């Protein structure tokens, strides 16, 4: 059975983007680089056409499409982080490389791709059978830019900020 593999469009810097993305989290690597076999809209013969890579085990493709295309929030990539240290590491790497922080754990990388940097525990909070606790966690998240695990936990537990 075939896999669904998202393909991301770039304008000449697909390999640079893929190298950055695989640097973010463990279990990430570039698996194949395909060069253009002839001159065309995507570049000259021998330049990079497609980069196949994984981020946290998820297969992705970066394509040098030959023109700039804009990304929207209609699709984003989510990184499930194990803890606050990983949230901080991934978040800070995006910002240090030209990214722009947004709201509720979202940011844009330097290429305009929308990412969500989310601690795994957020899903536990939101799926809790305690609907009031889940709502408190959601309300706390809506006020954040980068997600803060301790603040989310305090909100979930009904405790005020320290």
């Amino acid at each position: 059975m075939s896999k669904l593999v998202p393909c991301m469009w770039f304008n000449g810097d697909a390999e640079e983007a893929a190298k950055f993305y695989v640097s973010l989290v463990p279990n990430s690597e570039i698996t194949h680089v395909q060069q253009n076999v002839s001159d065309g809209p995507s570049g000259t013969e021998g330049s990079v056409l497609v980069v196949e890579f994984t981020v946290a085990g998820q297969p992705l493709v970066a394509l040098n499409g030959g023109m700039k295309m804009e990304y929207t929030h209609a699709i984003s990539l989510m990184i499930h982080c194990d803890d606050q240290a990983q949230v901080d590491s991934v978040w800070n790497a995006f910002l240090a490389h030209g990214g722009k922080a947004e709201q509720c754990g979202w940011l844009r990388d330097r290429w305009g791709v929308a990412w969500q940097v989310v601690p795994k525990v957020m899903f536990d909070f939101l799926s809790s059978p305690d609907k009031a606790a889940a709502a408190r966690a959601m309300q706390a998240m809506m006020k954040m830019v980068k997600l803060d695990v301790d603040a989310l936990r305090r909100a979930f537990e009904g405790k005020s900020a320290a």
Side-chain angles (χ1 to χ4, degrees):
M1 174 164 287
S2 62
K3 288 185 177 183
L4 178 67
V5 180
C7 180
M8 304 164 70
W9 185 290
F10 295 90
N11 186 23
D13 46 6
E15 188 172 27
E16 179 184 353
K19 285 178 179 178
F20 173 65
Y21 297 149
V22 303
S23 76
L24 294 173
V25 291
N27 196 22
S28 303
E29 65 178 336
I30 291 177
T31 56
H32 181 73
V33 177
Q34 176 65 51
Q35 279 81 29
N36 280 299
V37 295
S38 62
D39 292 351
S42 59
T44 59
E45 181 179 343
S47 65
V48 173
L49 174 62
V50 172
V51 181
E52 296 175 53
F53 63 107
T54 63
V55 175
Q58 170 63 49
L60 298 162
V61 171
L63 166 71
N64 280 323
M67 68 178 92
K68 180 149 176 64
M69 299 293 279
E70 298 297 324
Y71 291 96
T72 73
H73 281 99
I75 196 159
S76 63
L77 300 173
M78 183 182 295
I79 297 179
H80 292 176
C81 296
D82 292 329
D83 52 29
Q84 188 66 51
Q86 191 176 37
V87 168
D88 294 346
S89 174
V90 170
W91 188 269
N92 293 338
F94 274 117
L95 297 185
H97 291 87
K100 304 251 185 286
E102 294 186 345
Q103 195 68 21
C104 304
W106 289 64
L107 52 75
R108 295 282 189 145
D109 68 23
R110 66 178 267 202
W111 296 278
V113 177
W115 292 81
Q116 298 175 59
V117 181
V118 183
K120 290 177 186 174
V121 72
M122 188 69 203
F123 299 98
D124 296 334
F125 295 155
L126 295 179
S127 64
S128 171
D130 183 342
K131 299 300 181 200
R136 288 191 302 269
M138 178 64 117
Q139 290 168 357
M141 182 198 68
M142 296 299 289
K143 296 175 185 171
M144 295 179 182
V145 177
K146 178 177 69 173
L147 300 187
D148 179 325
V149 173
D150 288 339
L152 291 166
R153 181 171 282 108
R154 285 191 306 273
F156 179 80
E157 294 171 352
K159 298 176 181 174
S160 59

